[in-house]
Structure formats: C-alpha cells, structure tokens
Amino acid sequence: MAGYVRYIEKTREYYRSQGYDKPYQWAEFDDVPFTPLSKPLSECRVTLVSTSEISIRGNESGDDEQMGIVGGSYTIPADTPVGQLYSPSHSYDQYATTLEDVDAFFPTTRLHEAVAAGRIGSLTRRFHGVFNAYSQRRTRERDAPAVLERCREDGADVAVLVPVCPVCHQTISLVARHLEANGIPTVVLAAARDIVEHVGVARIVHSDFPLGSPCGEPHNVAQQREILEIGFKLLEHAFLPRTMVQTPYRWSQGDAWKERVFTPEQPWKSGEVEQDWLRKKELYKQLKAEGKV
C-alpha cells in the first residue's frame, strides 16, 4: 500500500512546474499548546470549525474580500438542515471525490446524531467557517481570535475542526492552536497529515483519503460515524500535544489518486477555476501591498 501523500512536497513541485520559483513557506512551530478535556465528553458543548466554504443555499453574499486566499471568518446556525448546506469550493481533489455529501467534510449530521445518542452533551448554536489564507499573520491575528470569541460567546467546551484543501489544513491548524492556547480542547480531522503535523496541533485524526473527504467517503454513513468516534476518543484519551491517530480505512476506489494528485495530468486547478484563483491571488497581492492582510 502506498504511503500517505506528502502535500508539502507535492505542491512545491507542482507550483515549480507552473513557473513559481519561490516555494511557499509553511507555518511551523516547535511548541504546541495543549488543553486537556476538563469534564466528560457527554457533558461538553461541541462546536464545528471548517474551511470548506460551507454555505446556506440562497444566502450567498458574493463578498470577494472574504473568499479564497484572502481569508475571513463567518458563522452559520448549527441547526441548519443539511439539505440546505453546500460548498461552492473547487479546492478539493475533483478527480477522486465529490463535495455532494456535506457530511464527508462538514459532519453536521454526525454531530447531531452524537448529541441524540448522548455521546456529547450538546452543540453550540453556531458553527464556524474560516476562509483559507496564504497570510498566516491574517489567520493568527484576525480569523483565529474571531473564532475564539464566538466560541466563548456560545459556551463551547470542545472544537472539532475540519480542513479541505492544502492551505486549508494550515489555516485550520493555526485556528486549532489558538483555541488550545486559550483553553478549548480541539481535534483536527485531516486528509493532509504532513501539513497539520508540520504546523503542530494538539490532536489529529488522519484519514488517508483525497482532499475533500476528511470525515469519510461520501455517503458512507457508518464510516463517517466511526471516524468521528475516533476523534471523540482522542479528545478523551490524549495527554500530550501532537497526538495523531491514523484511521484504518482505505479509499474504496484504490490508491491511484495518490500518484495523480497535483500532476500535469490531473492539475489542481484548470480552466475557469484557475482563472478565478489567479484573480484572487492578484487581489491578495493588492491587499497585502495596502497592508490589509
């Protein structure tokens, strides 16, 4: 069986092939904050934080300043019916998976089931979205503190964090670090293990799946439940930072996707998606020059 994908290496080689000479400097820290669970999980109020661009149908804002690599954060009601949720993101492995099943990357149904089963105490009234940002400073100084403030307002005891794209994994890791440093235990359900470990977080559940399905394969309800349960057990039993659990599952369509992701044959972005990404990249450069990111 092929080992897990090293996305830092993959992205470095891919963007070099696209004419980018200077490799992206991923966030890295020696010290990792860690907050132990202070009471039984069955008494905890849990929140969900995601970089999936999760949206409510009919509520699209069209705010470019808060899209893609520019950053930003927002909330949605935690009781929003899953049928009203979707992701407009193109930043996932479109050759290997799909975003049609929200619970594969934003496990709202699985969390509500856990409340009904008494596995967790309750959910916060809001869940949180964070747009991935190349600016690590933006995430650390603006977006992560905004998420922390909302978590405190909602009385969150625990946070489950779920990234989608490669930079999303860095963004969500920076948010997780900030929550841990301020007294909220976290678990990250991740697909890009190397990026999360490079940044350094308290707890990681890694599923060796394509980007876009960190919570289980689309429509595989039993598997999604089991992956979330692994996260719950990690919250209960981890006693040191950088604790990582590898789930036992293999992608049902095989491992060929690992060799193809970020290759010229299966580029990360192409066509209109690439043009939109380039537009956002120019917007980021403009905002950075103006000192806004």
Side-chain angles (χ1 to χ4, degrees), residues 64-96:
D64 274 345
E65 200 278 328
Q66 290 191 328
M67 290 298 290
I69 60 174
V70 180
S73 61
Y74 61 100
T75 65
I76 67 168
D79 60 358
T80 303
V82 68
Q84 295 181 16
L85 298 175
Y86 78 104
S87 172
S89 175
H90 297 289
S91 296
Y92 66 99
D93 190 342
Q94 300 178 58
Y95 300 95

Side-chain angles (χ1 to χ4, degrees), residues 2-250:
Y4 66 88
V5 177
R6 270 65 172 181
Y7 284 98
I8 292 177
E9 296 176 12
K10 280 271 191 180
T11 55
R12 180 181 295 119
E13 292 303 316
Y14 176 74
Y15 285 112
R16 182 178 293 132
S17 72
Q18 300 297 305
Y20 295 92
D21 296 327
K22 185 178 180 180
Y24 181 67
Q25 298 299 309
W26 297 88
E28 184 177 17
F29 301 90
D30 293 329
D31 297 328
V32 177
F34 180 85
T35 296
L37 205 63
S38 62
K39 56 185 176 181
L41 201 56
S42 60
E43 299 176 10
C44 288
R45 182 173 296 162
V46 179
T47 196
L48 176 62
V49 184
S50 173
T51 51
S52 63
E53 299 181 27
I54 195 70
S55 303
I56 302 174
R57 297 185 189 279
N59 286 8
E60 298 83 354
S61 68
D63 186 352
D64 274 345
E65 200 278 328
Q66 290 191 328
M67 290 298 290
I69 60 174
V70 180
S73 61
Y74 61 100
T75 65
I76 67 168
D79 60 358
T80 303
V82 68
Q84 295 181 16
L85 298 175
Y86 78 104
S87 172
S89 175
H90 297 289
S91 296
Y92 66 99
D93 190 342
Q94 300 178 58
Y95 300 95
T97 190
T98 173
L99 298 186
E100 292 178 1
D101 178 13
V102 167
D103 284 298
F105 59 88
F106 190 81
T108 177
T109 306
R110 307 288 84 86
L111 285 170
H112 280 90
E113 290 173 347
V115 173
R119 186 65 175 94
I120 58 177
S122 61
L123 298 173
T124 55
R125 63 187 179 90
R126 300 178 292 185
F127 291 156
H128 309 284
V130 183
F131 289 111
N132 65 293
Y134 280 131
S135 173
Q136 299 163 22
R137 181 175 63 85
R138 162 75 187 241
T139 302
R140 293 196 312 268
E141 297 181 4
R142 293 185 58 181
D143 298 341
V147 173
L148 173 64
E149 181 180 1
R150 293 164 186 159
C151 286
R152 285 175 168 169
E153 290 172 353
D154 294 348
D157 299 307
V158 171
V160 175
L161 299 99
V162 187
V164 175
C165 73
V167 177
C168 289
H169 281 72
Q170 175 178 261
T171 298
I172 216 74
S173 297
L174 293 173
V175 174
R177 289 176 56 87
H178 190 74
L179 296 180
E180 289 278 350
N182 287 277
I184 298 179
T186 67
V187 61
V188 177
L189 309 183
R193 169 179 165 178
D194 64 321
I195 295 174
V196 180
E197 289 186 323
H198 189 82
V199 178
V201 301
R203 306 167 190 81
I204 311 167
V205 173
H206 174 238
S207 294
D208 197 11
F209 287 171
L211 297 171
S213 298
C215 304
E217 293 202 39
H219 309 296
N220 190 331
V221 172
Q223 186 185 79
Q224 292 170 7
R225 288 172 179 158
E226 290 165 2
I227 288 173
L228 186 59
E229 175 61 22
I230 291 172
F232 289 156
K233 289 179 179 177
L234 186 56
L235 281 161
E236 292 172 322
H237 300 298
F239 59 90
L240 291 172
R242 296 187 185 274
T243 302
M244 193 281 298
V245 173
Q246 176 75 48
T247 67
Y249 309 110
R250 294 185 63 182

